[in-house]
């Protein structure tokens, strides 16, 4: 069983219906896996709405009735696996819609099972190996609210943040700013407020760690350029901005 993150913009929101990509084709992810166009097609046909109707839209991969968001429609195109979901009229469904509307959610994921004989190991020109999935058994697409699962190891969360933001600190700050506004002005359930607060804390820790890494690289660079002007660096501005955000949250 594997879960794959797809960090992408929501394509459309109309009423309670959202359209978003939950998987991308043709790229090698941090696990060294590549999903190929057509890998979900058999599952969509056999397990989708025109088959046994066993494909779900869940909240953070939680297979419990209260976290079922819909029985969505899935389709493949040249970019990836697209999900069209009409969110159920439940308290949790209302929370999820508010997160979409406040642009807090931009991440989705799929849960699937790799089928024997339907994947192969390949190598890049530099000799690095990756796993190519040609056909999988799809179970669900999830709206991923980071931090929603308290049992998720921190190391796994760091890898998810790294995949979503890379070294783009500005993008990470934009995410943090949206979270802050959502907490201050939101009308979520108590459970969702707790989830957002936990997500904010973990994102702050990720940003601080990335800033620390940038400073280490900068120190090495300056050792080779002793005459370089000592002006205020971008990461100093970022640290000051982060302190202001923390004060606002307190």
């Amino acid at each position: 069983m594997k879960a794959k993150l797809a960090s992408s913009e929501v394509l459309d929101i109309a009423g309670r219906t959202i359209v978003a990509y939950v998987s991308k084709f043709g790229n090698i992810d941090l696990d060294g896996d590549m999903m190929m166009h057509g890998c979900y097609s058999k599952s969509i046909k056999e397990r989708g709405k025109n088959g046994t109707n066993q494909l779900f839209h869940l909240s953070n991969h939680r297979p419990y009735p209260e976290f079922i968001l819909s029985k969505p429609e899935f389709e493949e195109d040249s970019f990836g696996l697209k999900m069209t979901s009409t969110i159920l009229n439940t308290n949790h469904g209302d929370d999820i819609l508010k997160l979409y509307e406040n642009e807090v959610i931009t991440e989705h994921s799929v849960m699937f099972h790799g089928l024997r004989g339907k994947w192969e190991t390949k190598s890049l020109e530099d000799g690095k190996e990756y796993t190519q999935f040609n056909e999988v058994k799809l179970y669900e697409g999830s709206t991923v609210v980071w931090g929603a699962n308290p049992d998720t190891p921190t190391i796994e969360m760091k890898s998810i943040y790294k995949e979503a933001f890379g070294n783009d600190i500005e993008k990470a700050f934009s995410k943090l700013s949206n979270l802050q506004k959502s907490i201050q002005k939101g009308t979520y359930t108590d459970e969702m407020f707790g989830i957002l607060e936990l997500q904010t804390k973990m994102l702050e820790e990720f940003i601080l760690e990335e800033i620390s890494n940038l400073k280490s690289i900068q120190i090495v660079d300056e050792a080779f350029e002793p005459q370089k002007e000592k002006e205020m660096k971008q990461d100093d501005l970022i640290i000051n901005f982060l302190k202001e955000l923390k004060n606002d949250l307190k």
Side-chain angles (χ1 to χ4, degrees):
M1 295 288 289
K2 281 181 173 284
K4 294 296 178 189
L5 179 74
S7 181
S8 61
E9 296 299 321
V10 178
L11 300 177
D12 189 29
I13 302 177
R16 300 186 70 88
T17 300
I18 64 99
V19 181
Y21 284 107
V22 294
S23 181
K24 184 179 179 181
F25 296 141
N27 69 307
I28 301 174
D29 62 26
L30 292 181
D31 294 327
D33 296 333
M34 178 187 289
M35 311 306 295
M36 300 302 293
H37 182 272
C39 67
Y40 300 107
S41 60
K42 187 176 180 182
S43 276
I44 293 172
K45 181 179 179 181
E46 295 179 353
R47 298 169 54 79
K49 291 205 168 187
N50 294 324
T52 57
N53 199 22
Q54 291 179 296
L55 298 180
F56 292 89
H57 178 194
L58 300 181
S59 174
N60 212 68
H61 299 298
R62 290 175 288 186
Y64 307 106
E66 61 268 35
F67 299 121
I68 295 175
L69 297 176
S70 78
K71 288 285 193 72
E73 293 184 3
F74 290 98
E75 63 175 310
E76 290 186 327
D77 62 19
S78 59
F79 180 85
L81 180 64
K82 186 189 297 182
M83 178 180 72
T84 301
S85 173
T86 301
I87 308 296
L88 293 173
N89 189 14
T90 62
N91 287 337
H92 192 68
D94 290 343
D95 275 339
I96 294 296
L97 280 174
K98 290 172 185 175
L99 292 175
Y100 277 116
E101 291 166 358
N102 291 328
E103 299 181 354
V104 173
I105 291 178
T106 56
E107 292 77 37
H108 299 82
S109 182
V110 290
M111 183 70 71
F112 66 89
H113 175 65
L115 301 175
R116 183 175 298 179
K118 301 297 183 179
W119 55 269
E120 53 190 314
T121 301
K122 293 194 170 185
S123 298
L124 298 172
E125 292 182 359
D126 60 4
K128 183 179 179 180
E129 293 187 341
Y130 66 95
T131 303
Q132 177 178 301
F133 286 92
N134 300 312
E135 183 184 329
V136 299
K137 184 177 182 179
L138 178 65
Y139 289 95
E140 49 94 1
S142 273
T143 293
V144 181
V145 182
W146 294 335
N149 182 356
D151 296 326
T152 302
T154 301
I155 188 170
E156 182 178 338
M157 296 304 297
K158 287 180 180 178
S159 69
I160 290 177
Y161 285 132
K162 192 68 177 176
E163 184 171 349
F165 301 122
N167 295 319
D168 192 341
I169 299 296
E170 184 177 347
K171 187 176 179 181
F173 266 113
S174 176
K175 175 76 171 184
L176 184 60
S177 179
N178 283 340
L179 279 169
Q180 179 198 18
K181 293 174 184 176
S182 193
I183 290 173
Q184 290 177 338
K185 301 179 181 179
T187 55
Y188 305 102
T189 60
D190 290 343
E191 178 200 24
M192 187 56 67
F193 270 119
I195 288 171
L196 294 177
E197 288 169 2
L198 178 57
Q199 183 181 357
T200 299
K201 182 177 183 298
M202 297 187 74
L203 185 53
E204 286 177 348
E205 292 176 355
F206 169 79
I207 291 173
L208 284 172
E209 184 173 320
E210 287 300 299
I211 291 173
S212 177
N213 292 337
L214 286 174
K215 291 182 78 69
S216 298
I217 294 172
Q218 189 179 78
I219 290 172
V220 173
D221 289 343
E222 289 180 352
F224 290 97
E225 299 180 43
Q227 303 303 319
K228 190 174 182 179
E229 288 188 23
K230 303 298 182 181
E231 58 185 14
M232 190 173 188
K233 301 296 188 294
Q234 181 183 15
D235 52 350
D236 293 324
L237 294 172
I238 292 172
I239 290 174
N240 291 335
F241 179 49
L242 182 58
K243 288 179 179 178
E244 292 177 7
L245 280 179
K246 282 189 173 182
N247 290 334
D248 289 341
L249 286 174
K250 288 179 181 178

